[in-house]
Amino acid sequence: MHAFATSARTSTRDASKANPYHYGHIPEVTVHADGSGSIKKHYCMGRISHELVEVMPDERTALMGDDAANGGLFMFVADRPRDLSSARFMSPSGRKKTSEGGGSADLSWIKLGTRPATRSRRWPNKLKARDIVDAKGEDRRKRPPYTKIPFNGNPTG
């Protein structure tokens, strides 16, 4: 059984009602002066396995990594400080210059999208995996235009 189906059954008691697009969004936890707290899910920060999210001193920019082999690096730039409801989401593109000491590269940032949280919050309820993924039962490596992409370090895809 896939890990998602197992966690979906645990959290919803019915894997058929679970939607993978409800998972993988970053939560913001606020602790109030009286000791109570609140949690808000931020859909417009992207749906990845967030790791090491670092908010910069401008209180608008967050750098984050995707916790998967062959994952990515992303930058989220909010329209206003301390307000994660609307922003630009970007990924770097670059060419490695050196290998010494971990290496260096010239980077530029590719804009992946801009979306207000109100629109981002609605799409997980509308989409299913079959809406955005073209899945075939036979070996996809034998059918152009499919290209094998290793996932999580697995060279067999």
Side-chain angles (χ1 to χ4, degrees), residues 108-122:
S108 59
W109 290 91
I110 299 168
K111 185 176 170 181
L112 299 176
T114 301
R115 173 168 274 189
T118 51
R119 286 184 57 208
S120 298
R121 190 173 27 251
R122 288 191 302 255

Side-chain angles (χ1 to χ4, degrees), residues 17-60:
K17 292 182 181 177
N19 183 336
Y21 298 105
H22 289 151
Y23 303 92
H25 303 283
I26 197 118
E28 178 181 18
V29 178
T30 302
V31 178
H32 306 290
D34 66 0
S36 66
S38 61
I39 298 175
K40 182 176 184 180
K41 193 184 288 189
H42 289 291
Y43 292 92
C44 60
M45 288 188 82
R47 184 182 164 271
I48 61 173
S49 299
H50 292 89
E51 180 181 34
L52 300 174
V53 177
E54 180 74 24
V55 178
M56 300 295 110
D58 67 359
E59 298 182 329
R60 292 180 57 221

Side-chain angles (χ1 to χ4, degrees), residues 32-111:
H32 306 290
D34 66 0
S36 66
S38 61
I39 298 175
K40 182 176 184 180
K41 193 184 288 189
H42 289 291
Y43 292 92
C44 60
M45 288 188 82
R47 184 182 164 271
I48 61 173
S49 299
H50 292 89
E51 180 181 34
L52 300 174
V53 177
E54 180 74 24
V55 178
M56 300 295 110
D58 67 359
E59 298 182 329
R60 292 180 57 221
T61 306
L63 295 173
M64 60 192 116
D66 184 0
D67 186 24
N70 305 321
L73 172 67
F74 302 95
M75 182 166 55
F76 175 89
V77 182
D79 293 341
R80 293 172 298 283
R82 295 179 162 237
D83 179 358
L84 304 176
S85 65
S86 182
R88 293 182 312 268
F89 194 62
M90 296 176 271
S91 183
S93 174
R95 183 170 299 276
K96 189 172 183 177
K97 295 182 347 182
T98 68
S99 296
E100 297 172 14
S104 66
D106 289 327
L107 296 179
S108 59
W109 290 91
I110 299 168
K111 185 176 170 181

